């Protein structure tokens, strides 16, 4: 029986004020006003309890037991030296502990999350944003457009679980199916669900099913044990049958920025490994390890990575180094560079006089836009 990771990465962050538990995604900012966030005053006993509880969670659940122990020892030594003594505000304490943990592990997913009262009465955090909020954001599919020169443009702000995204994604990809090149914009994309990543990849390849990503998992992690029905051995995400493939031949460009994170990086990395896309933009943030939230008390939860992403082609991942673009440019310049390349590729492939003429005009119009932008 083929095993699969059923919920590898729910969006990690705040979707219009809804705190979500992820496996790959953006470390969450709070949905509450700063004045409310700073209302939690931590005394010495509270800081001690948080450090002890966080240390235990890391030792019990971090995907590398040795690194989990190192992080636990580090924050306990910091506490004993008095490093946290002046941190009486919850947000400040969470920020400092996160910095200390990431400095040791070089893992951008491990993080202490502060949400005033956000975890009260929970043994595990709520992980599903309200459906109307997700619908308002079009399930992460922010834009689908046909640009001058018959170049498609798809903007994905996060990769929501495939079941919810599939109809919207299918509509977008059907609309874009007859374009001659495609630009996929991930510059504002903060992560999401690995199954959704595989769904989008499915439109851009032929044949299959093909493995998109795999995960080495610490099976005795408490988070994994709680979700044993959704996480199985040799977890792998696969391409699937989709309504109308874009195909494997037409040029695809993926835009990245220094904000692009986690599952969004996975998408760019996977297409790069498959030699299916040209990545244009800035080096991404470099976070690859799936995990989940361990509730420490009513106000704090610790994001503990319980696994390691392993690309089936490269046998490694983008943790700590980010996705390295084929064309490194500032994020704000990535679209212009990719669009110019896309128009050039379509023009070279054009075999009809009228199409050649239309593309020449489109390239001239684009050049004019660029000249005006420089003045």
């Amino acid at each position: 029986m083929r095993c699969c990771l059923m919920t590898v990465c729910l969006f990690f962050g705040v979707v219009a004020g809804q705190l979500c538990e992820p496996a790959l995604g953006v470390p969450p900012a709070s949905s509450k006003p700063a004045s409310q966030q700073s209302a939690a005053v931590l005394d010495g006993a509270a800081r001690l309890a948080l450090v002890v509880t966080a240390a235990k969670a890391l030792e019990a659940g971090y995907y590398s037991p040795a690194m989990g122990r190192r992080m636990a020892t580090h924050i306990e030594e910091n506490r004993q030296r008095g490093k946290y003594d002046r941190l009486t505000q919850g947000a400040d304490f969470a920020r400092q502990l996160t910095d200390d943990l990431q400095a040791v592990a070089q893992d951008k997913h491990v993080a202490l999350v502060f949400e005033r009262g956000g975890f009260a009465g929970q043994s595990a955090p709520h992980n599903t944003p309200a459906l109307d909020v997700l619908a308002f954001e079009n399930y992460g599919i922010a834009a689908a457009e046909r640009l001058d020169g018959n170049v498609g443009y798809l903007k994905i702000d996060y990769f929501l679980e495939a079941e919810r995204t599939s109809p919207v994604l299918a509509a977008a990809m059907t609309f874009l199916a007859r374009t001659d090149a495609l630009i996929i914009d991930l510059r504002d994309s903060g992560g999401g669900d690995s199954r959704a990543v595989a769904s989008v990849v499915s439109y851009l390849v032929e044949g299959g099913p093909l493995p998109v990503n795999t995960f080495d998992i610490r099976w005795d992690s408490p988070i994994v044990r709680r979700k044993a029905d959704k996480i199985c051995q040799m977890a792998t995400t696969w391409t699937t049958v989709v309504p109308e493939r874009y195909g494997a031949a037409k040029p695809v460009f993926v835009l990245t920025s220094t904000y692009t994170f986690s599952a969004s990086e996975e998408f760019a990395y996977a297409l790069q490994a498959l030699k299916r896309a040209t990545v244009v933009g800035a080096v991404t943030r470099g976070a690859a390890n799936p995990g989940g939230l361990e509730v420490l008390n009513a106000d704090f939860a610790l994001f503990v990575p319980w696994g390691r992403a392993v690309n089936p082609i490269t046998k490694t991942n983008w943790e700590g180094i980010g996705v390295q673009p084929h064309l490194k440019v500032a994020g704000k310049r990535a679209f212009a560079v990719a669009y110019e390349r896309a128009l050039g590729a379509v023009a070279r492939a054009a075999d009809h006089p009228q199409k050649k003429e239309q593309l020449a005009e489109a390239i001239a119009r684009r050049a004019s836009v660029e000249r005006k932008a420089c003045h």
Side-chain angles (χ1 to χ4, degrees), residues 132-298:
D132 59 341
V133 173
L134 298 175
F136 178 77
E137 297 185 341
N138 207 34
Y139 302 102
I141 308 300
E145 184 178 354
R146 179 185 175 274
L147 305 176
D148 194 15
N150 203 35
V151 174
Y153 174 79
L154 179 67
K155 187 173 190 293
I156 303 176
D157 284 351
Y158 54 87
F159 289 83
L160 188 65
E161 58 191 74
E163 288 81 358
R164 294 180 183 173
T165 309
S166 291
V168 179
L169 178 62
M173 292 306 295
T174 299
F175 171 71
L176 296 168
R178 279 153 289 283
T179 58
D180 292 313
L182 180 62
I183 298 170
I184 302 177
D185 192 346
L186 304 181
R187 289 176 295 173
D188 296 322
S189 193
D193 186 323
S194 267
R195 296 171 303 165
V197 168
S199 292
V200 183
V201 172
S202 299
Y203 284 90
L204 306 174
V205 297
E206 298 289 352
L210 300 174
V212 177
N213 206 4
T214 64
F215 298 88
D216 287 339
I217 296 167
R218 180 175 175 179
W219 292 102
D220 66 344
S221 166
I223 298 171
V224 174
R225 289 202 305 268
R226 287 197 301 268
K227 299 185 177 184
D229 61 328
K230 295 182 178 179
I231 299 173
C232 59
Q233 193 171 8
M234 301 302 292
T236 304
T237 55
W238 299 81
T239 58
T240 58
V241 176
V242 293
E244 185 170 5
R245 293 185 189 272
Y246 192 76
K250 293 184 284 189
V252 174
F253 299 84
V254 176
L255 310 186
T256 61
S257 71
T258 56
Y259 178 80
T260 309
F261 193 68
S262 195
S264 305
E265 296 176 276
E266 178 191 344
F267 178 79
Y269 190 91
L271 289 185
Q272 198 173 56
L274 288 165
K275 302 185 186 304
R276 181 60 191 96
T278 300
V279 180
V280 183
V283 177
T284 62
R285 290 169 66 186
N289 298 330
L293 288 169
E294 283 282 14
V295 174
L296 306 185
N297 63 25

Side-chain angles (χ1 to χ4, degrees), residues 16-78:
Q18 298 289 329
L19 181 65
C20 316
E21 182 182 359
L24 296 178
V26 181
S30 172
S31 61
K32 296 192 176 184
S35 59
Q36 293 182 32
Q37 289 300 307
S38 61
V41 177
L42 300 177
D43 58 17
R47 289 191 296 271
L48 170 62
L50 283 167
V51 169
V52 169
T53 309
K56 289 180 178 178
L58 291 165
E59 290 179 331
Y62 192 75
Y63 80 91
S64 165
M67 182 57 71
R69 290 191 294 272
R70 280 185 59 190
M71 286 188 286
T73 298
H74 182 65
I75 60 175
E76 173 57 24
E77 289 176 348
N78 284 348

Side-chain angles (χ1 to χ4, degrees), residues 6 10 118 120 149 171 198 248 286 314:
M6 298 300 292
L10 292 175
T314 67

Side-chain angles (χ1 to χ4, degrees), residues 329-368:
V329 297
K332 63 183 180 180
R333 284 284 302 154
F335 174 80
V337 172
Y339 191 18
E340 179 183 350
R341 294 291 181 110
L343 285 171
V346 174
R348 287 190 296 274
D351 57 2
H352 189 282
Q354 184 177 355
K355 189 173 182 179
K356 288 178 180 288
E357 182 181 348
Q358 290 177 344
L359 282 163
E361 292 172 354
I363 290 171
R365 285 191 292 271
R366 184 62 197 172
S368 175

